[in-house]
Amino acid sequence: MAQKHTYKFASFNLLNFAAPHYSFYQLDESYNDTQWLTKTQFITGLIQHMDPSVIVFQEVFSPETLATLCEDLGLPYFATVDTPKPDLVYPNVLFNPIVAIASKFPFKSFTPLEPCPELLEYLNNQHQFKFNRTPIKCSFELPGFGLTTVYAVHFKSQRVHSMAHMLGNASVEDPLLTLLHQTVGTMQSQISRSLEASIVYYDALKTQREKGAATLVMGDFNDHIASPALSFMTQQFPTSAIHQDVNSVGLFDSFCLADNQLSFGQKPPTHYYQGAGNTLDYILTSKEFNPNLEQSKVRRLTYHNYASHLDPKRDEEDIRYSDHAAIAIEMILQ
């Protein structure tokens, strides 16, 4: 009897994973021993419950600590491609959290995603481009499924960079500054997020065509997939027997392929802000994960949302846990 393979792919924003004695962003933002114990127990328990084959993380300040935690949980293969940046005056204060990936399976390769220079030129990016958080491009050979490329991402947040210096360092209460932040600042944030997504999307489709690899783009997108900044990522190509090369590439929201999507009623939120739920975390897949295709190796695809720790009524972050749900897809092969 042929062996039945099951794989689970997950994404989890850890919310400021900075081990003591490190602080995140400011000197007074850190964990005491009790808070850190609660946080690591929460993360450990949730990962054990999910039991992922591959998991990507966001907001990682202490990758070595996370790598040890993952190894203890049966995820011995761990990778990052960047490092958080210490403050020049207070080196224990860290900025620029990174993404990470952990797996039960060895990597064939993992690299920082490098943007295509020709694409940047095409998109009129006149400045030296830099991701807010460098994505990881990683490949696996999964038994029974084949070559798989995973992108671990954390796109630009909706936080607006201050424009106060343009108004002579205006006060934060200045109504003109407020208006500019709500309009020009918000638009710039969307442009930055969309540019990052465009680079990942281009590389994913190009790799699909050149390598014939199944593809996963997983992480915190910091926006709804149907937003103007991101909606292109799941635009589907028309079905045509003439253009098989075009049909061979593309990305799908995995929730729309899952056999249990109707049980949710609608796609569940992964984050709450001022009591309103937002879906910010996604797992996008190539057609190889679609169980409805005739030649698919996938028999079932199930979507999971792990959000029991989230309280829609909570106004402030509880650093002991996470402000995001973890999400996962479980794939059972034919």
Side-chain angles (χ1 to χ4, degrees), residues 158-192:
Q158 297 187 31
R159 187 176 297 109
V160 172
H161 294 302
S162 177
M163 300 172 68
H165 64 286
M166 300 182 186
L167 300 176
N169 289 316
S171 166
V172 292
E173 288 84 17
D174 187 325
L176 176 56
L177 181 63
T178 300
L179 178 62
L180 288 173
H181 283 171
Q182 292 174 346
T183 53
V184 178
T186 298
M187 179 59 68
Q188 177 55 36
S189 175
Q190 292 176 350
I191 291 171
S192 179

Side-chain angles (χ1 to χ4, degrees), residues 27-267:
L27 269 176
D28 60 349
E29 291 192 343
S30 61
Y31 297 90
N32 60 39
D33 291 341
T34 301
Q35 289 173 323
W36 184 246
L37 178 62
T38 300
K39 189 177 188 76
T40 52
Q41 288 177 337
F42 158 69
I43 293 171
T44 298
L46 186 48
I47 294 176
Q48 286 176 327
H49 178 58
M50 287 192 289
D51 189 24
S53 309
V54 178
I55 182 169
V56 302
F57 300 100
Q58 302 85 38
E59 295 202 25
V60 179
F61 285 104
S62 298
E64 298 86 358
T65 303
L66 183 59
T68 300
L69 184 151
C70 287
E71 184 172 15
D72 292 342
L73 292 169
L75 297 159
Y77 303 99
F78 185 90
T80 59
V81 294
D82 205 352
T83 55
K85 304 300 186 291
D87 184 83
L88 294 178
V89 178
Y90 303 102
N92 63 313
V93 178
L94 301 177
F95 297 88
N96 304 109
I98 62 175
V99 299
I101 185 168
S103 171
K104 293 181 178 180
F105 302 95
F107 308 122
K108 283 179 67 70
S109 66
F110 65 88
T111 60
L113 178 60
E114 298 290 344
C116 170
E118 291 79 11
L119 178 64
L120 290 178
E121 182 179 354
Y122 177 79
L123 295 173
N124 292 320
N125 188 270
Q126 302 300 321
H127 305 284
Q128 185 176 1
F129 173 82
K130 190 178 188 308
F131 281 104
N132 284 271
R133 299 99 171 175
T134 305
I136 302 172
K137 181 180 181 180
C138 188
S139 67
F140 303 87
E141 188 70 41
L142 298 178
F145 190 66
L147 183 63
T148 303
T149 301
V150 175
Y151 295 83
V153 303
H154 187 183
F155 292 145
K156 168 70 176 72
S157 72
Q158 297 187 31
R159 187 176 297 109
V160 172
H161 294 302
S162 177
M163 300 172 68
H165 64 286
M166 300 182 186
L167 300 176
N169 289 316
S171 166
V172 292
E173 288 84 17
D174 187 325
L176 176 56
L177 181 63
T178 300
L179 178 62
L180 288 173
H181 283 171
Q182 292 174 346
T183 53
V184 178
T186 298
M187 179 59 68
Q188 177 55 36
S189 175
Q190 292 176 350
I191 291 171
S192 179
R193 187 160 52 255
S194 188
L195 178 59
E196 291 183 342
S198 298
I199 293 167
V200 173
Y201 179 74
Y202 171 84
D203 193 88
L205 268 59
K206 188 169 182 286
T207 301
Q208 283 179 29
R209 190 176 72 173
E210 293 178 352
K211 305 294 185 182
T215 306
L216 292 163
V217 179
M218 306 198 293
D220 180 356
F221 286 26
N222 263 316
D223 209 343
H224 195 280
I225 195 65
S227 72
L230 300 179
S231 59
F232 65 88
M233 294 193 79
T234 53
Q235 293 297 310
Q236 302 307 321
F237 298 110
T239 302
S240 169
I242 299 175
H243 300 291
Q244 291 299 324
D245 57 329
V246 173
N247 288 332
S248 67
V249 299
L251 294 172
F252 301 79
D253 183 353
S254 59
F255 179 79
C256 299
L257 304 178
D259 58 6
N260 64 332
Q261 61 172 299
L262 294 179
S263 67
F264 287 98
Q266 61 182 7
K267 192 168 188 181

